[in-house]
Amino acid sequence: MYAEERQQAIADLVARHGRVSVTDVAERYDVTAETVRRDLALLERLGHVRRVHGGAVPATALTMSEPGLAERENTRAGHKDRIAAAAANFLPGAGGSIILDAGTTTSRIAAILPSETDVTVATNSVPIAARLAGIGSIHLHLIGGRVRGTTQAAVGPEALRFLDILNVDVAFIGTNALTIEHGLSTPDADEAAVKRAMVQRADRVVVVADSSKIGRRHLLSFAPLEAVDVLVTDTDLADADRERLTEHGIEVVTA
């Protein structure tokens, strides 16, 4: 393979997976790590990627933009279905309590809760609350506040006041982005404040995020990796990313 072909292939990998590691690329194309670093340096100068520790992410990985709920619902839908099914294994036993953060993956967890589930659910998601309201065995608490149109999530002082008196067994948290250095992040300050409070009010934190989120970062960090107990993601996660996350004490589950 010529250098130009390899560089185009690397750019395609970054665009498709959201992140590549130097080690994985070197093994894939049977070249040295130094060769990969030179390729990434060239691609960065051309504006195709942004280099990060150990690899590269798309040039647009750091962004303040946020797609709407309808757009995100259909993005990597199959991955999210499998992630939700795997995350359900971390539900507490009968009589337990959970937080379901607003999001398209957490909404899939709500959709597969057994109808006979004896669990208390607190959520700031209008769609999740609407889905669960008719299930008699679920003790539902809707976290109130101003509803953001983009995510249909309740945020603001009212939501934070409710969370301040809450304690649950497990919080299922979504994130727009995740990196080793920046932790979990999101572009909106109000959303970040609510997510931060959710993380703090749970005995166990299970993050549900497809692998395209790994290696990206948004403006506002709402939790360090040390606050995460489990990450449930998909099998496209790079081996190097899994290793680094595991080294930080996170149980990584791929589905």
Side-chain angles (χ1 to χ4, degrees):
M1 177 180 284
Y2 293 110
E4 293 83 358
E5 294 174 316
R6 184 181 62 250
Q7 290 153 9
Q8 181 61 56
I10 293 171
D12 291 342
L13 278 175
V14 174
R16 190 162 64 249
H17 296 294
R19 179 187 175 96
V20 297
S21 73
V22 170
T23 302
D24 286 349
V25 173
E27 291 177 355
R28 179 186 288 262
Y29 297 112
D30 193 25
V31 294
T32 66
E34 186 56 37
T35 296
V36 175
R37 292 189 186 96
R38 287 197 296 269
D39 288 341
L40 293 178
L42 173 62
L43 290 170
E44 185 174 49
R45 288 197 299 273
L46 293 173
H48 297 305
V49 307
R50 181 172 60 82
R51 287 190 293 172
V52 296
H53 179 74
V57 298
T60 57
L62 177 57
T63 177
M64 292 181 64
S65 65
E66 185 177 16
L69 193 66
E71 179 182 346
R72 290 187 292 120
E73 182 65 41
N74 296 315
T75 302
R76 296 174 70 87
H79 293 76
K80 293 175 181 178
D81 289 340
R82 293 189 293 274
I83 290 168
N89 292 320
F90 295 96
L91 286 166
S97 56
I98 66 173
I99 287 173
L100 285 177
D101 183 20
T104 55
T105 307
T106 49
S107 69
R108 285 166 163 81
I109 299 174
I112 61 175
L113 286 177
S115 58
E116 70 279 3
T117 300
D118 177 16
V119 65
T120 297
V121 179
T123 185
N124 68 325
S125 166
V126 174
I128 290 176
R131 180 184 292 273
L132 298 180
I135 302 178
S137 62
I138 291 178
H139 312 287
L140 178 64
H141 294 269
L142 177 58
I143 300 170
R146 176 180 64 84
V147 176
R148 293 190 67 220
T150 303
T151 59
Q152 296 182 33
V155 297
E158 298 95 334
L160 295 176
R161 281 196 294 270
F162 182 87
L163 286 164
D164 190 49
I165 60 171
L166 195 67
N167 183 260
V168 300
D169 297 313
V170 184
F172 293 93
I173 303 295
T175 185
N176 298 76
L178 185 159
T179 67
I180 300 294
E181 301 81 8
H182 200 49
L184 310 178
S185 58
T186 189
D188 182 79
D190 289 334
E191 199 100 35
V194 170
K195 288 176 179 287
R196 184 178 300 115
M198 289 178 170
V199 168
Q200 293 170 348
R201 305 310 297 171
D203 295 336
R204 193 177 200 190
V205 175
V206 177
V207 173
V208 288
D210 70 77
S211 60
S212 71
K213 309 286 182 63
I214 314 303
R216 297 177 180 269
R217 60 190 177 101
H218 277 268
L219 183 66
L220 301 167
S221 174
F222 63 86
L225 286 190
E226 290 73 17
V228 178
D229 297 296
V230 181
L231 169 66
V232 186
T233 185
D234 59 70
T235 53
D236 289 342
L237 180 71
D239 291 341
D241 287 330
R242 175 193 280 272
E243 183 176 341
R244 293 184 72 201
L245 290 164
T246 302
E247 287 173 354
H248 278 74
I250 298 174
E251 178 183 351
V252 179
V253 176
T254 54

